[in-house]
């Protein structure tokens, strides 16, 4: 799943449960990084909200 500059990946057959990673791009440096999120986060927007402590990504300011 994806939302703006975020992408959510599911990796199967590595552990007991699927591994979910969200890939992000740092807007100030342009570098990419990934963060493991809980496996119950199956939509990108849910994973973004989880990693930002409950803040809905639609409320983010766009950095330029």
């Amino acid at each position: 799943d994806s939302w703006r500059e975020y992408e959510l990946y599911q990796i199967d057959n590595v552990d007991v449960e699927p591994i979910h990673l969200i890939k992000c791009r740092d807007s100030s440096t342009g570098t990419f990084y990934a963060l493991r999120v809980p496996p119950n986060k199956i939509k990108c927007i849910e994973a973004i909200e989880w990693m930002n402590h409950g803040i809905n990504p639609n409320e983010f300011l766009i950095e330029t």
Side-chain angles (χ1 to χ4, degrees):
D1 193 32
S2 64
W3 188 82
R4 293 190 184 166
E5 69 272 12
Y6 299 89
E7 295 177 24
L8 183 64
Y9 295 94
Q10 177 176 317
I11 304 170
D12 295 316
N13 302 322
V14 176
D15 204 349
V16 175
E17 59 189 11
I19 295 172
H20 288 197
L21 297 173
I22 189 159
K23 179 179 130 185
C24 314
R25 185 180 62 81
D26 185 313
S27 60
S28 61
T29 65
T31 57
F32 289 94
Y33 62 94
L35 177 68
R36 189 171 181 172
V37 297
N40 66 333
K41 306 302 179 197
I42 57 173
K43 290 294 205 181
C44 194
I45 204 158
E46 295 172 335
I48 298 165
E49 189 169 336
W50 177 84
M51 79 178 195
N52 287 293
H53 308 283
I55 299 171
N56 186 300
N58 289 311
E59 298 175 15
F60 293 172
L61 294 175
I62 303 292
E63 291 185 27
T64 56

